[in-house]
């Protein structure tokens, strides 16, 4: 109500805090995390957690990059903003891309990929979901050899690229990279100040986040 998360127990309303003050919601832009905060607050309250403790936790959780490792981790360095998330289904990709769109961007870049145990329709739906949020300026489709799960190498990236092209993505905006880490490096090489990069990260999350931390510490431009 009026930008606040409200909790009702036995007919009595309590204020759990301003949504904009909850880091996990990215200033309210991450609507899926507003929903998650509502569910978590209600569950905690029913378990006996006080409203004041909820207020403190919601204002604190998400302030540090790794509070919720692999979920909506945000990095800012060298004039760019980077979002890292495990998003691996159409709804997750759509939520991640929508949240990233809340940041003013000169250009938007995306790394896209998935495990091979999804059927073709699910994989195509993933590409459609990402492109439906915005026509990205650059999309690098990653191969993840460790997650082929029965598919021949090269098949999954080719499928995603084909669907992106059917959605209207120009050929010069889409390419394939041999690994997740290579895709991230390639997108960073493309980036310039003012850009926002969206990195759904699966096979090499530790390596990717460690690399981003190093770039931030080194004040990479």
């Amino acid at each position: 109500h009026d930008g606040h998360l409200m909790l009702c127990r036995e007919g009595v309303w309590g204020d759990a805090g301003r949504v904009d003050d909850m880091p996990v919601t990215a200033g309210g832009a991450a609507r899926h995390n507003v929903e998650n905060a509502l569910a978590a607050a209600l569950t905690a309250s029913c378990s006996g957690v006080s409203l004041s403790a909820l207020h403190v936790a919601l204002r604190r959780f998400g302030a540090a990059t790794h509070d919720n490792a692999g979920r909506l981790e945000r990095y800012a360095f060298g004039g760019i903003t980077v979002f890292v998330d495990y998003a691996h289904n159409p709804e997750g990709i759509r939520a991640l891309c929508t949240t990233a769109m809340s940041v003013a961007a000169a250009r938007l870049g995306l790394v896209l990929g998935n495990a091979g145990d999804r059927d073709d329709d699910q994989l195509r739906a993933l590409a459609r979901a990402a492109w439906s949020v915005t026509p990205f300026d650059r999309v690098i489709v990653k191969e993840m050899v460790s997650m082929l799960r029965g598919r021949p190498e090269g098949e999954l990236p080719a499928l995603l690229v084909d669907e992106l092209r059917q959605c209207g993505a120009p050929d010069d905006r889409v390419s394939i990279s041999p690994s997740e880490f290579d895709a991230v490096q390639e997108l960073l090489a493309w980036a310039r100040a003012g850009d926002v990069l969206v990195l759904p990260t699966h096979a090499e999350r530790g390596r990717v986040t460690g690399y981003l931390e190093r770039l931030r510490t080194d004040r990479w431009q």
Side-chain angles (χ1 to χ4, degrees):
H1 176 71
D2 196 25
H4 288 245
L5 190 154
M6 304 299 294
L7 182 69
C8 184
R9 291 296 310 280
E10 299 176 353
V12 178
W13 284 95
D15 185 351
R18 291 180 68 248
V19 170
D20 286 359
D21 292 336
M22 300 173 188
V24 75
T25 74
R31 300 300 300 173
H32 61 294
N33 274 348
V34 175
E35 296 170 2
N36 287 333
L38 286 165
L42 179 59
T43 303
S45 177
C46 291
S47 300
V49 177
S50 69
L51 188 65
S52 59
L54 283 172
H55 196 280
V56 171
L58 290 168
R59 284 177 60 91
R60 183 179 298 162
F61 183 70
T65 301
H66 300 300
D67 277 352
N68 194 15
R71 293 295 186 182
L72 205 62
E73 297 183 46
R74 179 172 173 170
Y75 299 81
F77 54 82
I80 67 172
T81 301
V82 181
F83 287 93
V84 176
D85 195 285
Y86 194 75
H88 62 287
N89 56 47
E91 286 306 312
I93 285 286
R94 188 176 291 108
L96 174 61
C97 293
T98 300
T99 301
M101 284 283 292
S102 69
V103 179
R107 302 180 304 169
L108 285 158
L110 171 69
V111 168
L112 188 66
N114 212 328
D117 55 355
R118 277 70 174 170
D119 63 32
D120 288 5
D121 288 342
Q122 289 174 311
L123 292 169
R124 288 184 178 278
L126 186 80
R128 287 196 304 273
W131 196 260
S132 71
V133 175
T134 185
F136 282 88
D137 298 286
R138 188 80 171 86
V139 182
I140 301 176
V141 178
K142 60 185 176 181
E143 178 76 273
M144 295 188 291
V145 176
S146 65
M147 301 180 77
L148 292 174
R149 298 176 184 173
R151 286 185 181 265
E153 193 169 339
E155 180 181 80
L156 194 152
L159 191 74
L160 293 173
V161 168
D162 180 67
E163 187 62 31
L164 288 167
R165 286 173 175 160
Q166 289 194 40
C167 290
D171 289 348
D172 61 357
R173 294 194 196 182
V174 182
S175 63
I176 294 175
S177 193
S179 76
E180 186 167 78
F181 189 70
D182 287 328
V184 170
Q185 288 188 306
E186 188 177 340
L187 196 62
L188 282 163
W190 167 84
R192 60 185 182 223
D195 290 350
V196 172
L197 309 185
V198 183
L199 310 181
T201 306
H202 314 107
E204 300 178 87
R205 189 183 67 82
R207 188 181 182 191
V208 168
T209 56
Y211 182 60
L212 296 174
E213 289 280 12
R214 188 164 70 251
L215 294 179
R216 180 163 61 182
T217 300
D218 294 344
R219 298 184 178 181
W220 173 90
Q221 297 291 317

